[in-house]
């Protein structure tokens, strides 16, 4: 029960943030940070049970008709992710309180952040595929809102739209994939899917490949894999706390998380191995390359995040026990240092007034604590011993060397890491120690940020250092997370700083040296990369072209369909009606059924002739008065028909209403100047009207051949007196059996009466004024 | 009789559609009234016609003596007649006010009154 409470707390906190912000803007961040911090403590207190293998879980039916269950489960992987989400959340709330303190809509910002946190916790806790999908979409949507938070800026709106289009389309694919998966496996429960016979059904089934491709479409878009990565750098228009939280530490890892969660079910096949390893490797190298070519602090970090996400996917593609362990460790490493670096970027932006890396330098004197945190985080990113990043990198190399990828894959990874080393030096070191300060404001005015802003990066960087020195502290938790993905074998995780003189150490040293050299020679490299405009190629082009195409298509079809011409709308409507009628008649029935024409009495024939003649006159005459008289005649003829065929009530009502109609027409149009329009010639409107009218007649002739249905009439006839005590059956139907219909009718009439009154009144008022 | 009426209803629909397609809003209103007549007659004939007694129960009896006319379409049509009238009243006043405000009863000309962005 308390598990669902933990899940729902953030949703409940969203409205609370509105109140807290109103009470105190200054302290709101610190107060609200208590919510994620409390949740983190709660999750941490569950750790001993989870490590013992007693997994807290709940399973309640939600919408059983759809197979939707409210099922949550906390295993090692969920616990690790939940701790990252709530821990980073606490730091980010604390930070945002100061970072956005003066900004408008701060409370709204908090509310969306809480909503995101709830969705993200839901993703990692959900044991039901559909519940997971719902939470997945919650994060997509809150990410969209938060990217477009500065909604008055064109760039932010464009970036938000792009992120939504890419991730939401991927989400649709994921939904189809999960539903297919649930259909094949026979359950939507993620833990029950892993039962051996169900795994057999999924992997051996003919629908394995479509399921895999759909799930990959969802996860790759969310985790910004090439070619879907283009939304992530754009997302940097979001306020920095959002970039640190959603677009580095948590949300972009949702895709990796889901892949990890499903890898025992979908993994281990050739398609899985090739697709994940291939896409991951390409993403890792191209992400790092793009990162190196950027001068904007946050964009550089965003591309570096793309690169790391590629590495994580690559490791899942390898799928060995070691690869799974490396993935879990590297994910944690990345969350720590990338969160810190993003928060540092925010501090630099906030204090120095620029995010352009070449414009800042020597900031360590001005921002000592922030600078130290940035340095430690960057060293962890580079994988320098004795930081936690070194431990993670060693594991990645070892997993690559031992896995099916072997040396070629390890060298690819080394290439990616070398580029990343150079990027880390540019982002985390050079702005603080080397170069000169050339930003807009005088260097002397740059001060250290308030403690609530440096606390986050300092804490995260310290954690990176401490875990590097004593990696055993996290060993049980990370082992449990790896075991949740790769089984017991992956659970035997041994973390240590010194692995001995291994090939992995050699690769590590080589990538550090190569990265250092690349950084030393950065000027020509940078110029070359910038001249290539890598980010404008390929997927970027495709995205722009398809967006333009979509807009053009919308314009073209709107011009045709929404022409603003009433006549065209009616012509389209009538043609559709006629077309469908003609199709049905042609497909299912042929000519009108044969048979005697039926008898017609003389007075009936006379009334029909009168009615049709009056209708023709009403349509053809140019005089409004003649039209009105003819219209009255049609109505009276209709009333006579009702009278002939046993409906005196209808006849009476028809006479009254028809009289009122003619009076109303006469009142309105007596003062109406009827100018002859330059009408289209009649022959252009008449054929369509004739065709549709003719088709309706044809259909009615078929209807007339069907024997009448009498059961309902019999029901009303026999129940009218005993149940409703009324002798006039039509009346009884109206006010008793179908009284709600009559209530609706009265409502329509009253509404129309109010409308008529208002229109007349405003008309009179305007006339007085003129 | 149903067959003759089927053809007549088709003719009324034709007249109504034709009026709708013309440019004048007066014709538009006329067309709506004609469509109302046609639809009501359609409801009336669609389950067969009988030259029969009205669906009334004689005093003291439990049920009407057959043959009697089908009461259900009659109830529908009664509702339809009234609603058509409500619709028409609103439409006519709207046409009137539009003509006052814009000075035309030409639907094509009304289109020209839209701002460019909505055309």
């Amino acid at each position: 029960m308390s598990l669902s409470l933990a899940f729902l707390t953030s949703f409940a906190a969203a409205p609370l943030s509105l109140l807290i912000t109103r009470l105190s803007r200054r302290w709101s961040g610190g107060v609200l940070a208590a919510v994620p911090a409390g949740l983190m403590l709660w999750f941490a207190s569950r750790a001993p049970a989870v490590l013992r293998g007693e997994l807290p879980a709940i399973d309640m039916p939600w919408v059983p008709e759809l197979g939707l269950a409210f099922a949550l489960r906390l295993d090692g992987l969920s616990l690790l992710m939940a701790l990252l989400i709530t821990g980073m959340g606490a730091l980010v709330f604390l930070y945002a309180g100061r970072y956005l303190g003066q900004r408008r809509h701060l409370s709204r910002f908090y509310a969306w952040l809480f909503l995101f946190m709830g969705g993200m916790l839901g993703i990692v806790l959900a044991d039901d595929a559909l519940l997971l999908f719902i939470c997945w979409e919650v994060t997509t949507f809150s990410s969209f809102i938060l990217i477009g938070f500065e909604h008055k800026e064109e760039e932010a709106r464009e970036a938000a739209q792009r992120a939504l289009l890419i991730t939401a389309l991927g989400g649709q694919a994921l939904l189809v994939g999960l539903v297919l998966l649930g259909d094949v496996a026979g359950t939507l429960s993620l833990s029950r899917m892993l039962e051996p016979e169900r795994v057999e059904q999924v992997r051996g089934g003919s629908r394995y490949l479509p399921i895999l491709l759909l799930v990959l479409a969802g996860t790759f878009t969310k985790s910004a894999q090439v070619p879907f990565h283009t939304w992530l750098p754009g997302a940097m228009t979001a306020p920095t706390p959002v970039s640190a939280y959603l677009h580095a530490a948590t949300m972009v890892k949702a895709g990796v998380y889901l892949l990890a969660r499903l890898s025992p079910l979908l993994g281990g096949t050739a398609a899985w191995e090739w697709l994940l390893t291939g896409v991951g490797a390409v993403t890792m190298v191209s992400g790092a390359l793009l990162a190196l070519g950027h001068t904007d602090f946050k964009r550089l970090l965003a591309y570096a995040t793309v690169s790391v996400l590629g590495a994580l996917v690559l490791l899942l593609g390898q799928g060995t026990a070691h690869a799974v362990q490396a993935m879990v460790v590297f994910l944690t490493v990345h969350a720590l240092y990338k969160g810190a670096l993003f928060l540092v970027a925010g501090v630099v932006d906030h204090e120095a007034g620029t995010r352009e890396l070449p414009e800042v330098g020597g900031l360590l004197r001005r921002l000592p604590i922030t600078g130290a945190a940035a340095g430690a985080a960057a060293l962890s990113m580079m994988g320098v011993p004795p930081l936690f990043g070194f431990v993670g990198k060693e594991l990645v190399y070892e997993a690559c060397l031992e896995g099916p990828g072997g040396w070629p894959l390890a060298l690819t990874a080394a290439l990616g890491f070398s580029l990343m080393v150079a990027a880390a030096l540019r982002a985390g070191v050079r702005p603080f120690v080397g170069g000169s300060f050339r930003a807009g404001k005088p260097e002397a005015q740059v001060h250290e940020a308030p403690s609530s802003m440096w606390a986050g990066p300092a804490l995260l960087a310290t954690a990176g250092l401490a875990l590097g020195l004593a990696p055993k502290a996290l060993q049980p938790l990370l082992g449990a997370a790896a075991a949740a993905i790769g089984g017991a074998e992956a659970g035997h995780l041994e973390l240590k700083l010194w692995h001995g003189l291994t090939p992995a150490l050699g690769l590590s040293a080589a990538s550090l040296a190569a990265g250092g050299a690349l950084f030393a020679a950065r000027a020509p490299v940078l110029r070359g990369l910038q001249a290539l405009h890598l980010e404008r190629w390929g997927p970027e082009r495709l995205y722009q072209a398809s967006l333009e195409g979509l807009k053009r298509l919308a314009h073209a079809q709107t011009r045709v369909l929404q022409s603003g011409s009433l006549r065209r709308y009616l012509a389209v409507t009538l043609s559709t009606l006629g077309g469908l009628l003609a199709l049905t008649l042609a497909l299912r029935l042929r000519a009108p059924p044969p048979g005697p024409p039926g008898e017609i009495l003389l007075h009936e024939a006379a009334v029909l002739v009168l009615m049709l003649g009056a209708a023709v006159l009403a349509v053809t005459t140019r005089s409004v008065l003649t039209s009105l008289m003819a219209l009255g005649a049609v109505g009276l003829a209709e009333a006579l028909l009702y009278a002939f065929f046993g409906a005196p009530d209808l006849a009476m009502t028809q006479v009254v209403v028809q009289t009122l109609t003619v009076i109303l027409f006469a009142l309105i149009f007596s003062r109406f100047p009827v100018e002859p329009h330059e009408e289209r010639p009649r022959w252009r409107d008449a054929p369509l009207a004739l065709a549709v009218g003719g088709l309706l007649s044809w259909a009615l002739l078929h209807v007339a051949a069907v024997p009448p249905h009498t059961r309902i009439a019999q029901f009303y006839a026999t129940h009218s007196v005993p149940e409703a005590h009324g002798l006039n059956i039509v009346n009884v139907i109206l006010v008793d059996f179908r009284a709600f219909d009559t209530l609706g009718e009265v409502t329509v009439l009253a509404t129309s009466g109010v409308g008529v009154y208002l229109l007349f009144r405003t008309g009179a008022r305007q006339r007085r004024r003129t | 009789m149903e067959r003759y009426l089927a053809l007549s209803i088709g003719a009324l629909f034709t007249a109504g559609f034709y009026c709708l397609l013309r440019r004048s809003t007066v014709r538009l209103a006329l067309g709506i009234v004609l469509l109302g007549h046609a639809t009501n007659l359609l409801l009336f004939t669609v389950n067969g016609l009988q030259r029969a007694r009205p669906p009334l129960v004689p005093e003291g009896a439990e049920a009407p003596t057959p043959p009697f006319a089908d009461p259900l379409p009659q109830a529908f049509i009664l509702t339809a007649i009234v609603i058509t009238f409500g619709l028409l009243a609103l439409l006519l006043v709207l046409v009137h006010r539009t003509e006052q405000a814009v000075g035309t009863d030409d639907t094509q000309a009304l289109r020209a009154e839209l701002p460019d962005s909505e055309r």
Side-chain angles (χ1 to χ4, degrees):
Chain A
M1 197 60 222
S2 46
L3 193 59
S4 50
L5 209 62
F7 166 53
L8 296 172
T9 303
S10 356
F11 293 113
L16 184 73
S17 61
L18 303 180
L19 183 72
I20 302 268
T21 315
R22 177 151 302 183
L23 289 177
S24 162
R25 287 179 81 86
R26 190 178 165 76
W27 301 109
S28 56
V31 172
L32 289 171
V35 176
L39 281 173
M40 185 177 117
L41 288 179
W42 185 83
F43 279 114
S45 74
R46 296 297 97 186
V50 172
L51 295 182
R52 277 198 307 275
E54 301 160 11
L55 307 183
I58 52 164
D59 189 354
M60 287 188 287
W62 184 4
V63 188
E65 295 82 7
L66 301 176
L68 182 58
F70 186 79
L72 303 176
R73 193 158 167 276
L74 186 69
D75 65 4
L77 183 61
S78 306
L79 181 64
L80 173 68
M81 292 297 291
L83 286 172
L84 283 177
I85 293 162
T86 49
M88 273 303 291
L91 296 180
V92 161
F93 270 101
L94 185 69
Y95 184 92
R98 282 313 287 265
Y99 188 78
L100 294 171
Q102 312 308 319
R103 216 71 68 88
R104 287 184 66 208
H105 305 313
L106 179 63
S107 54
R108 232 182 267 175
F109 178 83
Y110 288 138
W112 283 111
L113 216 51
F114 270 125
L115 202 65
F116 164 77
M117 195 172 88
M120 195 64 213
L121 277 177
I123 291 180
V124 300
L125 294 178
D127 191 34
D128 182 88
L130 288 180
L131 179 64
L132 182 141
F133 172 75
I134 291 169
C135 294
W136 184 280
E137 292 298 89
V138 168
T139 62
T140 298
F141 187 66
S142 43
S143 159
F144 163 70
I145 295 278
L146 287 168
I147 294 171
F149 189 66
E150 302 289 345
H151 57 84
K152 291 198 175 128
E153 279 163 33
E154 171 83 37
E155 198 193 348
R157 290 200 302 273
E158 202 274 332
Q161 181 191 12
R162 173 190 301 233
L164 184 70
L165 282 177
I166 294 179
T167 52
L169 279 178
Q172 297 313 301
L174 177 68
L175 175 63
V176 179
L178 288 177
V179 169
L180 270 181
L181 183 61
D183 193 40
V184 175
T187 176
L188 282 167
S189 158
L190 293 173
S191 49
R192 250 174 285 153
M193 276 179 197
L194 299 186
E195 291 161 11
E197 62 272 25
R198 295 191 201 269
V199 174
E200 215 42 51
Q201 261 168 358
V202 172
R203 284 204 203 168
S206 56
R207 283 186 281 176
Y208 170 77
L209 200 60
I211 291 174
L212 179 66
L213 292 176
L214 287 164
V215 168
L216 290 188
T219 49
F220 282 1
T221 47
K222 193 84 163 178
S223 280
Q225 299 294 301
V226 171
F228 307 116
H229 66 283
T230 61
W231 69 268
L232 189 58
M236 295 302 121
T237 55
T240 302
V242 174
S243 310
Y245 193 32
L246 274 69
H247 304 127
T250 57
M251 188 184 85
V252 287
K253 304 233 169 77
V256 175
Y257 166 83
L258 186 59
L259 284 178
R261 181 60 79 205
L262 294 178
S263 66
L265 183 62
L266 300 175
T269 63
W272 170 279
E273 191 189 315
W274 279 101
L275 277 170
L276 266 72
T277 310
V279 171
V282 169
T283 306
M284 183 180 182
V285 173
S286 53
L289 202 60
L290 287 164
L292 201 59
H294 270 275
T295 55
D296 181 290
F297 204 154
K298 283 177 73 181
R299 274 179 185 263
L300 185 150
L301 293 179
Y303 278 117
T305 306
V306 169
S307 172
V308 170
L309 293 168
L312 296 176
V313 169
L314 178 157
L315 288 169
L316 281 173
Q318 293 295 295
T320 60
H322 275 116
V324 168
Q325 293 173 345
M327 197 286 288
V328 170
V329 176
F330 196 48
L331 184 147
T332 315
V333 166
H334 175 252
L336 293 178
Y337 78 70
K338 194 55 68 66
L341 282 177
F342 263 113
L343 296 180
V344 165
V347 172
V348 170
D349 190 11
H350 203 257
E351 304 304 327
T354 181
R355 281 189 346 220
E356 280 297 308
L357 288 169
E359 290 185 8
V360 292
L363 280 175
L364 191 60
R365 270 166 304 176
R366 298 275 150 202
L367 307 169
I369 307 173
T370 310
L379 290 178
S380 189
M381 177 172 170
M382 290 155 64
V384 173
L387 285 113
F388 196 33
F390 172 73
V391 180
K393 200 153 103 174
E394 290 284 281
L395 284 175
V396 174
Y397 281 136
E398 274 173 21
C400 286
L401 284 171
E402 282 176 17
W407 272 97
L409 193 64
L411 287 175
T412 312
L415 174 62
F417 275 125
S418 310
L419 293 165
M420 204 110 77
V421 166
L425 284 168
R426 283 191 56 211
V429 177
R430 205 209 60 89
F432 297 94
V433 291
S436 57
F437 190 84
R438 290 192 314 246
K441 71 180 185 188
E443 194 178 352
Q445 283 179 21
V446 180
H447 301 295
E448 182 59 276
S451 59
S452 53
M453 279 176 71
W454 59 248
L459 204 63
L460 291 169
T462 314
L465 181 61
L467 287 171
L469 292 172
K472 297 263 184 250
L474 266 192
Q475 191 170 294
L477 176 62
L478 294 176
I485 307 169
E489 193 195 343
H492 294 300
L493 172 66
E494 202 173 332
L495 288 178
K496 52 189 175 195
L497 195 57
W498 179 245
H499 284 237
L501 288 171
T502 57
L505 186 68
L507 280 172
S508 225
S511 58
L512 270 178
L518 205 56
F519 175 72
R522 66 186 176 282
V525 173
L526 207 67
R527 268 200 301 280
L529 281 173
Q530 279 167 348
L532 282 175
H533 285 294
L534 283 176
E535 72 278 4
R536 292 195 203 291
W537 287 13
E540 180 62 28
R541 270 279 166 76
L542 188 68
Y543 172 81
Q544 293 292 357
S546 45
L547 198 65
E548 280 306 307
L550 195 68
K551 280 183 186 163
R552 263 202 294 279
L553 181 71
H555 265 293
Q557 68 137 21
T558 307
R559 257 204 312 281
V560 174
L561 295 179
Q562 299 289 318
S563 60
S565 159
L566 181 63
R567 184 150 62 183
R568 193 176 296 173
Y569 295 155
L570 286 167
V572 169
T573 312
L574 287 180
S575 312
T576 311
L577 171 66
L580 289 175
L581 266 175
L583 194 68
T584 314
L585 288 169
L587 287 181
R588 313 193 38 189
L589 312 153
R590 308 268 170 235
E599 53 162 346
I600 181 164
L601 303 179
L602 185 60
H603 62 276
E604 293 166 358
V607 167
L608 280 189
V609 169
L610 170 74
M611 185 171 79
L612 293 183
V616 170
L617 181 62
V619 168
T620 50
T621 179
R622 283 199 174 273
S623 152
V624 173
L625 206 61
T626 315
S627 277
L628 282 185
M629 311 264 278
L631 197 65
V634 174
L636 289 181
E638 193 189 328
L640 281 176
L641 283 175
Y642 291 145
F644 294 161
F645 292 94
D649 294 330
L650 291 191
M652 286 187 283
T653 317
Q654 178 64 34
V655 169
V656 173
V657 169
Q658 190 62 38
T659 312
L660 279 174
T661 304
V662 172
I663 292 175
L664 199 63
F665 258 98
L667 263 180
I668 299 273
F669 290 123
S670 60
R671 284 168 296 171
F672 214 93
V674 182
E675 301 153 15
H677 302 292
E678 290 175 25
E679 279 281 16
R680 288 203 297 182
R682 290 184 165 150
W683 57 265
R684 285 182 68 184
D685 290 330
L688 180 59
L690 259 175
V692 184
L695 282 165
L696 279 166
S697 276
W698 190 7
L700 272 175
L701 285 174
H702 282 285
V703 173
V706 179
H709 177 99
T710 55
R711 215 164 42 118
I712 304 176
Q714 272 309 320
F715 170 86
Y716 285 126
T718 49
H719 289 75
S720 180
V721 170
E723 286 187 14
H725 308 286
L727 298 178
N728 183 335
I729 301 175
V730 176
N731 257 348
V732 167
I733 295 176
L734 281 175
V735 299
D736 196 311
F737 289 119
R738 305 192 59 88
F740 271 121
D741 280 6
T742 310
L743 182 68
E745 170 198 345
V746 172
T747 315
V748 170
L749 208 59
T751 313
S752 134
V754 171
V756 168
Y757 171 72
L758 288 176
L759 280 170
F760 260 125
R761 214 179 53 165
T762 54
R765 198 183 297 154
Q766 276 179 6
R767 264 200 303 282
R768 267 202 306 277
R769 212 178 289 156
T770 47
Chain B
M1 182 60 198
E2 284 93 343
R3 292 178 172 237
Y4 298 106
L5 211 50
L7 294 175
S8 311
I9 291 168
L12 280 183
F13 270 120
T14 304
F17 291 151
Y18 177 76
C19 284
L20 288 189
L21 287 169
R22 305 305 283 177
R23 277 167 68 166
S24 153
T25 46
V26 187
R27 284 257 181 261
L28 184 79
L30 274 177
I32 298 232
V33 176
L34 284 171
L35 284 187
H37 289 318
T39 312
N40 288 346
L41 280 175
L42 184 144
L43 282 177
F44 197 56
T45 58
V46 86
N47 200 28
L49 285 176
Q50 294 187 58
R51 295 186 188 82
R53 270 184 284 276
L56 298 170
V57 184
E59 199 74 50
E62 281 284 292
T65 33
F68 58 91
D70 190 345
L72 188 65
Q74 296 193 21
F76 285 159
I77 295 169
L78 216 50
T79 310
I81 290 176
V82 177
I83 289 196
T84 309
F85 179 70
L87 172 76
L88 185 73
L90 191 66
L91 177 69
L92 285 179
V93 179
L94 204 58
V95 165
H96 177 57
R97 285 283 299 122
T98 313
E99 193 274 336
Q100 273 184 347
V102 184
T104 180
D105 72 327
D106 178 356
T107 57
Q108 292 299 112
L110 283 178
R111 186 181 167 215
E113 294 290 321
L114 281 175
D116 276 343
S117 57
E118 289 171 34
R119 226 187 283 172

